[in-house]
Amino acid sequence: MFKLFYAPGSCALATHIVLEEIGTPYELMRVDLAGGEQRKPEYLAINPKGRVPALATEQGILNETPALLVFLAQRFPHAKLAPLDDLFALARLQAFNSYLCSTVHVARAHLRRGARWADDEAAIAAMKRKAPQNVLDCFALMEASMFVGPWVMGESYSVADPYLFTITRWLVLDGGNLSAFPAIQNHFERMSQRPAVTRAIEQES
Amino acid sequence: MFKLFYAPGSCALATHIVLEEIGTPYELMRVDLAGGEQRKPEYLAINPKGRVPALATEQGILNETPALLVFLAQRFPHAKLAPLDDLFALARLQAFNSYLCSTVHVARAHLRRGARWADDEAAIAAMKRKAPQNVLDCFALMEASMFVGPWVMGESYSVADPYLFTITRWLVLDGGNLSAFPAIQNHFERMSQRPAVTRAIEQES
């Protein structure tokens, strides 16, 4: 049985929702980030990066959201969570996930985790000031050029949908306004009502 | 025929090397980043993100290095550039690429592209001061916990190897010292001698 190492409010929610969509049994393992559990030897043996998510499988432990999402889609093809038979479409899905991971998540991390990239308080405050606009710029680009609709990749729901939902939820929880991004706002509202999404959020709260 | 939109010294080198490894015909399209070509309407029509690499295929244009690398490995399975029949091994490869993209590349970007994340000069200077140690920390983690050897993923050369080489090359060009990372240093030296690598670097210079 899979074990998902997660922290509430983290990007692990994307993988958590996908596990719920698939309906495969798994165990939730909460990591206490505020208490520093991710830096203790026990957790570093699970994920040397000291981050969540990590997914323990029967073959070993995996991490990094884009890798976990496509792994689960490939492992459970009946769930139809990625265009596994269309290499070009799969590459577009991977590109979307990669943008979320390396640009949108990173843009938002400068709001709260600036200490990763600078040591002095004024610099961390400067990053915090700029982060909200950077995140909005990412959403504007996704709305205009990347989001196909009604789902991220078009007619078919895929693992990119829980991932976009997870990061859109950060924007909402941070007090951001989605009204400039009507397609993504509509996506967020539809995602919020999916049973797999409500179950995952309830389990994390 | 593929067209690879690239800029010398950018992470597009990873995809460029993979195209050379495969031996499929492609055309190199240089984007003048210093001249701002990536922000002009002609290029934004190719890649709305205004970044390189982008790969024009017969089906459309793709971007994001992790997506391009796995797409090429899947599209040319005879080249054996990814463990396509082993989902767990493929997920580990994807996790490695994702870490390079979202953590190592981002850590290094703070050395030269701090203006992405803060507006004031002092903050940009503070990021620049911290970036070299962050990059070294990433290499220490890869050396200790992620790099299998002799290639990134073990006995088989894969698309992760040109990607690691590309980012290791940044560290070397930035004046960093690889001696604390003997496995990665050895990898860098072996990669530097591969015909596909020397051809790609020569074509970009």
Side-chain angles (χ1 to χ4, degrees):
Chain A
M1 190 166 73
F2 291 143
K3 286 183 187 177
L4 176 66
F5 295 86
Y6 82 104
S10 77
C11 64
L13 178 62
T15 303
H16 188 180
I17 292 169
V18 168
L19 287 165
E20 283 292 324
E21 297 280 9
I22 291 167
T24 187
Y26 65 95
E27 191 175 351
L28 273 181
M29 310 293 287
R30 182 167 176 155
V31 181
D32 177 14
L33 298 187
E37 187 182 348
Q38 75 278 17
R39 290 185 294 271
K40 292 185 178 164
E42 293 79 7
Y43 188 72
L44 291 175
I46 292 161
N47 185 356
K49 296 170 186 168
R51 300 276 177 92
V52 292
L55 186 72
T57 77
E58 64 275 23
Q59 289 173 281
I61 297 169
L62 296 170
N63 54 48
E64 300 282 338
T65 295
L68 295 179
L69 295 180
V70 169
F71 170 75
L72 289 171
Q74 292 185 311
R75 178 68 189 278
F76 300 97
H78 70 275
K80 298 187 187 303
L81 291 170
L84 300 176
D85 298 325
D86 180 339
L87 297 188
F88 182 79
L90 183 61
R92 291 195 58 236
L93 169 62
Q94 294 240 67
F96 194 91
N97 288 346
S98 186
Y99 182 72
L100 288 177
C101 179
S102 64
T103 301
V104 196
H105 185 152
V106 168
R108 196 265 190 168
H110 286 75
L111 188 66
R112 302 191 175 198
R113 311 271 187 204
R116 287 181 186 164
W117 298 290
D119 291 321
D120 76 82
E121 290 302 323
I124 293 167
M127 288 183 234
K128 191 169 182 159
R129 280 195 301 277
K130 192 174 176 68
Q133 188 59 50
N134 277 349
V135 171
L136 292 174
D137 290 348
C138 292
F139 274 82
L141 183 73
M142 291 193 290
E143 176 87 10
S145 312
M146 297 168 66
F147 184 93
V148 182
W151 302 112
V152 168
M153 303 308 301
E155 292 299 324
S156 300
Y157 183 83
S158 75
V159 291
D161 291 294
Y163 199 8
L164 175 61
F165 170 79
T166 296
I167 291 187
T168 307
R169 188 166 175 258
W170 289 346
L171 175 55
V172 172
L173 294 174
D174 290 341
N177 188 332
L178 289 178
S179 61
F181 321 112
I184 294 176
Q185 182 172 38
N186 178 275
H187 178 263
F188 184 72
E189 289 165 1
R190 282 179 290 119
M191 285 296 296
S192 298
Q193 291 164 15
R194 282 180 80 89
V197 173
T198 56
R199 282 197 302 273
I201 290 174
E202 192 178 310
Q203 287 161 11
E204 293 196 3
S205 66
Chain B
M1 191 166 73
F2 292 142
K3 287 183 186 176
L4 176 65
F5 295 85
Y6 82 104
S10 77
C11 64
L13 178 63
T15 303
H16 188 178
I17 293 170
V18 168
L19 287 166
E20 283 291 325
E21 298 280 10
I22 290 167
T24 187
Y26 66 95
E27 192 176 350
L28 272 181
M29 309 296 285
R30 182 167 174 156
V31 181
D32 176 15
L33 298 187
E37 188 182 348
Q38 74 279 16
R39 290 184 295 271
K40 292 185 177 162
E42 294 77 9
Y43 188 71
L44 291 175
I46 293 161
N47 185 356
K49 296 171 187 168
R51 300 275 177 94
V52 292
L55 185 73
T57 77
E58 64 274 25
Q59 290 173 280
I61 297 170
L62 296 171
N63 55 45
E64 299 283 338
T65 296
L68 295 179
L69 295 180
V70 169
F71 170 75
L72 289 171
Q74 291 185 311
R75 176 70 191 278
F76 299 98
H78 70 275
K80 296 187 187 303
L81 291 170
L84 301 175
D85 298 326
D86 180 339
L87 298 188
F88 181 79
L90 183 61
R92 291 194 57 235
L93 169 61
Q94 295 239 68
F96 193 90
N97 288 346
S98 186
Y99 182 72
L100 287 177
C101 179
S102 65
T103 302
V104 196
H105 185 152
V106 168
R108 197 266 189 167
H110 286 75
L111 188 64
R112 303 190 174 199
R113 311 272 187 204
R116 286 181 186 165
W117 298 290
D119 291 321
D120 75 82
E121 290 302 323
I124 293 167
M127 288 183 232
K128 191 170 182 159
R129 281 195 300 277
K130 193 174 174 71
Q133 187 59 50
N134 278 348
V135 172
L136 293 174
D137 289 349
C138 291
F139 274 82
L141 183 73
M142 291 193 290
E143 175 88 11
S145 311
M146 298 168 65
F147 184 92
V148 181
W151 302 112
V152 167
M153 303 308 300
E155 293 298 325
S156 299
Y157 183 83
S158 76
V159 291
D161 291 293
Y163 200 8
L164 174 61
F165 170 78
T166 296
I167 291 187
T168 306
R169 188 165 174 259
W170 288 346
L171 175 55
V172 171
L173 294 174
D174 290 340
N177 188 332
L178 289 179
S179 61
F181 321 112
I184 294 176
Q185 182 173 39
N186 178 274
H187 178 263
F188 182 72
E189 289 165 1
R190 280 179 291 118
M191 286 295 295
S192 299
Q193 292 164 13
R194 282 180 79 89
V197 174
T198 56
R199 282 196 303 272
I201 290 174
E202 193 178 308
Q203 288 162 10
E204 294 196 3
S205 65

